[in-house]
Amino acid sequence: TFITDYRDHGVFAIGPDTTLTMSYNKVVGSAPDVVGINGILIAANATGTITNNEVSENICEVPNTCGPDWFNQIQAFGIVADSAGEGSIIANNFVTNNDAGISVAVKSGCCIVDQNTLKDNRFFGIVIEDSEQIISNTKIIGGNVGAAATANFDNATAILDQVKIVGAEIPIQALSSGNLTAAVNV
């Protein structure tokens, strides 16, 4: 399936007892004037199996709103798992040319994030936010920040297992606010 011309999320599942299974799809953003556009979203205890997809061009170009500053600006994402249900899988996806490639947020250990390729995502390749997650067997190529842990409302740890980062201006970055801690463990 080819999914494009969306104005919010290309595909999403939200809420408990909701599941999303996507394999071998192409999801292409096309609304740079929309704040916070996402290609694929799993949220609020929905469970997802997101495998072998190509997700690209989720870009936000709204002046003074979108940009690379994690705490003060908004980024568009290729794939987002925000409080996803236990056992969610994000694997074997090709995520390219987004503001940020993949984000896994809030629910520690919710997701298996394995064997993805993130290429030329302009601000962040992968972001672990307010949780602890393992990213394994993944390639991150180009962009500003390869892998980031961000502590906005809770501590954050990104554990990189067999992750290869090539050509990112900043290979790993830990960002925290207040008294919170963020760490990227390699």
Side-chain angles (χ1 to χ4, degrees), residues 4-135:
T4 192
D5 294 328
Y6 47 91
R7 304 279 307 161
D8 191 11
H9 308 301
V11 178
F12 64 93
I14 298 177
D17 301 320
T18 304
T19 59
L20 173 61
T21 301
M22 286 189 66
S23 295
Y24 300 99
N25 299 286
K26 189 171 185 177
V27 181
V28 179
S30 60
D33 59 328
V34 174
V35 175
I37 191 170
N38 298 303
I40 302 170
L41 171 68
I42 311 163
N45 291 311
T47 303
T49 301
I50 312 302
T51 58
N52 300 296
N53 298 287
E54 184 177 324
V55 185
S56 64
E57 298 180 39
N58 292 283
I59 301 286
C60 182
E61 295 284 1
V62 178
N64 303 317
T65 300
C66 300
D69 182 334
W70 180 261
F71 294 110
N72 298 305
Q73 294 178 307
I74 296 172
Q75 300 81 35
F77 283 85
I79 300 173
V80 175
D82 185 353
S83 301
E86 296 293 322
S88 291
I89 299 169
I90 302 170
N92 297 307
N93 297 289
F94 181 69
V95 186
T96 184
N97 295 317
N98 302 283
D99 283 347
I102 296 174
S103 171
V104 182
V106 180
K107 205 168 182 184
S108 291
C110 69
C111 307
I112 295 169
V113 183
D114 186 49
Q115 296 185 1
N116 295 288
T117 299
L118 301 117
K119 184 176 181 195
D120 297 331
N121 294 291
R122 57 186 199 163
F123 303 137
F124 299 93
I126 192 161
V127 179
I128 303 304
E129 179 182 354
D130 298 331
S131 63
E132 181 175 307
Q133 303 290 337
I134 298 170
I135 296 90

